[in-house]
Amino acid sequence: CGVFGVIGVNDAANFVALGLHALQHRGQEAGGIVSYESESGFNSARRFGYVRDNFTKASLMETLPGSLSIGHVRYSTSGSKGATQIRDVQPFFGEFSVGGVAIAHNGNITNAEALRRELIERGSIFQSSSDSECIIHLMARSLQRTIPERMKDALRRVEGAFSVVAMTRTKLIGVRDPLGVRPLVLGKVGDGYALSSETCALDIIGAEFIREIEPGEMVVITGKGIESFHPFERKKSRFCIFEQVYFSRPDSILGGRSVYETRRQIGIELAKEAPVEADLVCPVPDSGTPAAIGYSFESGIPYGMGIIRNQYMGRTFIEPTEQIRNMGVRLKLNVNRALIEGKRVILVDDSVVRGTTSLKIKQMILDAGAKEVHFRIASPPTAWPCFYGVDTPERSKLLAATMSEDEMRDHLGVDSLRFISLDGLYRAAGEAEGRKASSPQFCDACFSGEYPVEPADMIERGFEL
Ligand code: 5GP
Ligand code: SF4
Ligand code: MG
């Protein structure tokens, strides 16, 4: 998901709509915006579909007045069952004796089921099926006198990954979980401030990037300035390495590094680790593009757009059902036959999950007359599900959970298949010495099976580490 908030600018909701539009790649199912203005109080709008199809209409934006606003774009993860319902669309809102609060959450709470059971037993009435709603109910039960203090209370009980943007009548609040699994950045816009999942959404509103919110940090922003707190026990940060590979936009800056450059470096590492003789390096658009550019640069093999993407389709993987996903690939990608025919082609993609995309693309490329097909993948084999906010299927559906690299190659029917090593990925992400077993500095659980936060709910449901 993507979260965004601004304080201290006129018609803040318009800024939020723009910010969410720039974060649309983080979630395309639905979006929501809440704003506050003294006369009409809190106002909210939640809609299915793209930001640009909803939050551009004057008639809707007029209902969201005020100089303080937050928003959310949703992509549902493994915890949620079936298609998104409008009641699951954030921001969520709660009204307490100490005032109202709206919250938008990116990440996944790993003890949400246990918390929900406990809260329901004690009388909470849940409105949605979302793990994020726990935060509101925990806040409602806190005895603290201010919203930020209640939020600290609530978030100390929550486990897992959370980047939260929240607002009260007068405050914009941002929090990251102690490991800082999901991103969250702070920017300055005019006389006000903005919080965003990624820096690319600061650019779109002309905001200046100030800094990242630190893992375990809470910032409370008012007309008077910014206060910073560290409400949690300090831990070693474990930022999601898959944000670097796929999830974030290439024009964003993560941890002081350009995502585009990290991805290009992945391609360079891949070319060193897994060279092959061929005529053409071709990205699987768009997520494989920077790595393909790096691979071509390092290997000296020409780069070409052998697959053309229809600009009007979303990311396939994010459509929730298998059937839609299966249709998605054909609707989205087509082969540039004139370029492919008779060539030995290296295809660069970001990841292999179920293997559905790779199988289809291989077939398209062979049908177009390619002589050989070599897959090079910009992440290590995805052998474990993510429980921290990226949608991966259960373990048995992950190709790499049941097959070796050679078996996957045979299954996909390609001439060769190689994944970047975990060490190579760390080097590309700026860790010159690779992944040191003593101190991995990213979360890489979907590749290594080493979960930095125990997925309590999943273990209770029988998941084995
Ligand atoms: P597969 O077809 O192997 O199941 O999925 C891999 C494809 O899904 C890749 O092309 C990748 O770009 C895309 N993808 C979209 N969203 C995600 C995600 O959340 N996780 C992973 N691993 N891949 C994703
Ligand atoms: Fe990111 Fe993978 Fe960790 Fe999930 S398991 S947070 S996708 S690195
Ligand atoms: Mg892809």
Side-chain angles (χ1 to χ4, degrees):
C1 306
V3 291
F4 195 86
V6 336
I7 186 169
V9 295
N10 287 333
D11 296 322
N14 284 329
F15 287 72
V16 172
L18 284 166
L20 293 179
H21 175 63
L23 297 174
Q24 191 83 75
H25 60 288
R26 299 185 69 87
Q28 305 174 330
E29 282 176 37
I33 297 180
V34 170
S35 72
Y36 179 82
E37 181 222 23
S38 53
E39 219 165 278
S40 57
F42 287 96
N43 289 285
S44 80
R46 299 191 267 180
R47 295 286 186 277
F48 290 119
Y50 290 132
V51 174
R52 62 150 196 255
D53 295 330
N54 294 303
F55 297 99
T56 43
K57 298 195 178 83
S59 55
L60 180 62
M61 297 315 289
E62 277 162 13
T63 68
L64 298 165
S67 59
L68 177 49
S69 176
I70 67 168
H72 185 269
V73 282
R74 173 181 165 91
Y75 134 83
S76 58
T77 54
S78 42
S80 49
K81 300 157 205 82
T84 296
Q85 312 231 354
I86 203 75
R87 62 189 192 135
D88 293 328
V89 180
Q90 300 189 39
F92 291 133
F93 183 78
E95 184 82 48
F96 316 128
S97 54
V98 293
V101 68
I103 64 166
H105 166 225
N106 171 214
N108 188 49
I109 298 172
T110 49
N111 64 338
E113 285 174 25
L115 284 172
R116 177 183 284 251
R117 265 197 316 271
E118 174 198 320
L119 285 159
I120 288 175
E121 244 161 55
R122 290 161 64 198
S124 295
I125 300 167
F126 276 78
Q127 310 283 325
S128 77
S129 68
S130 165
D131 59 326
S132 316
E133 197 187 337
C134 287
I135 301 169
I136 292 275
H137 294 289
L138 289 167
M139 287 179 70
R141 291 186 169 273
S142 164
L143 299 174
Q144 298 290 341
R145 296 237 188 85
T146 68
I147 300 264
E149 289 305 318
R150 285 191 181 212
M151 190 169 283
K152 289 180 197 171
D153 262 5
L155 291 176
R156 284 190 194 111
R157 298 239 21 227
V158 160
E159 293 165 12
F162 51 86
S163 281
V164 172
V165 169
M167 62 183 275
T168 69
R169 281 170 290 186
T170 54
K171 300 181 178 87
L172 177 66
I173 302 170
V175 196
R176 269 177 98 192
D177 64 75
L179 305 182
V181 175
R182 298 276 147 244
L184 190 64
V185 299
L186 173 69
K188 179 112 190 78
V189 51
D191 294 329
Y193 291 95
L195 290 168
S196 172
S197 290
E198 292 179 41
T199 61
C200 67
L202 296 179
D203 298 338
I204 197 178
I205 60 161
E208 180 197 338
F209 170 66
I210 300 180
R211 66 176 178 86
E212 295 191 350
I213 305 305
E214 290 165 27
E217 184 186 18
M218 170 189 269
V219 292
V220 178
I221 310 170
T222 60
K224 293 194 202 91
I226 303 175
E227 276 184 293
S228 164
F229 306 92
H230 284 88
F232 314 106
E233 198 185 305
R234 289 241 184 200
K235 297 211 173 119
K236 208 169 160 35
S237 86
R238 300 294 292 273
F239 184 68
C240 167
I241 203 159
F242 197 59
E243 291 271 355
Q244 306 276 9
V245 173
Y246 172 82
F247 217 72
S248 291
R249 237 169 68 164
D251 51 338
S252 283
I253 309 287
L254 292 175
R257 269 173 82 83
S258 144
V259 174
Y260 176 86
E261 186 49 25
T262 296
R263 290 180 190 170
R264 203 181 72 92
Q265 289 296 336
I266 291 175
I268 290 175
E269 288 286 341
L270 253 178
K272 288 183 190 157
E273 287 184 357
V276 60
E277 251 184 61
D279 307 308
L280 181 71
V281 178
C282 166
V284 179
D286 290 327
S287 47
T289 302
I293 290 171
Y295 195 102
S296 164
F297 173 82
E298 179 64 24
S299 64
I301 301 170
Y303 171 92
M305 291 167 62
I307 302 171
I308 305 298
R309 190 175 84 99
N310 181 319
Q311 299 296 336
Y312 303 96
M313 283 290 296
R315 288 186 171 191
T316 29
F317 194 100
I318 282 175
E319 305 291 344
T321 73
E322 192 118 20
Q323 191 198 359
I324 294 177
R325 209 166 17 237
N326 287 341
M327 287 175 55
V329 175
R330 259 179 328 191
L331 297 174
K332 192 169 127 175
L333 301 175
N334 192 26
V335 178
N336 179 2
R337 181 182 285 268
L339 184 66
I340 295 289
E341 211 163 5
K343 301 229 172 82
R344 296 169 299 175
V345 181
I346 301 173
L347 288 171
V348 182
D349 201 358
D350 63 280
S351 57
V352 172
V353 181
R354 296 174 188 77
T356 338
T357 312
S358 320
L359 256 181
K360 291 198 165 144
I361 284 171
K362 174 224 56 178
Q363 202 50 53
M364 281 167 32
I365 295 281
L366 285 179
D367 291 348
K371 255 199 330 216
E372 288 173 19
V373 179
H374 302 273
F375 263 110
R376 292 295 177 273
I377 309 298
S379 55
T382 305
W384 298 88
C386 174
F387 302 123
Y388 311 133
V390 168
D391 185 25
T392 35
E394 60 187 79
R395 205 158 181 238
S396 60
K397 294 207 178 121
L398 298 173
L399 211 58
T402 51
M403 292 184 199
S404 69
E405 221 169 279
D406 287 349
E407 287 168 336
M408 285 192 267
R409 179 201 59 211
D410 296 344
H411 169 81
L412 295 176
V414 289
D415 295 283
S416 75
L417 164 70
R418 293 289 299 277
F419 296 79
I420 194 169
S421 67
L422 208 41
D423 265 325
L425 177 55
Y426 270 70
R427 279 194 297 273
E431 295 298 303
E433 288 167 56
R435 181 189 198 257
K436 283 173 277 165
S438 56
S439 60
Q441 89 151 72
F442 289 102
C443 173
D444 53 29
C446 48
F447 310 122
S448 65
E450 289 174 31
Y451 290 89
V453 178
E454 180 175 280
D457 288 339
M458 295 311 294
I459 289 173
E460 205 182 294
R461 284 210 227 156
F463 175 77
E464 281 172 40
L465 286 177

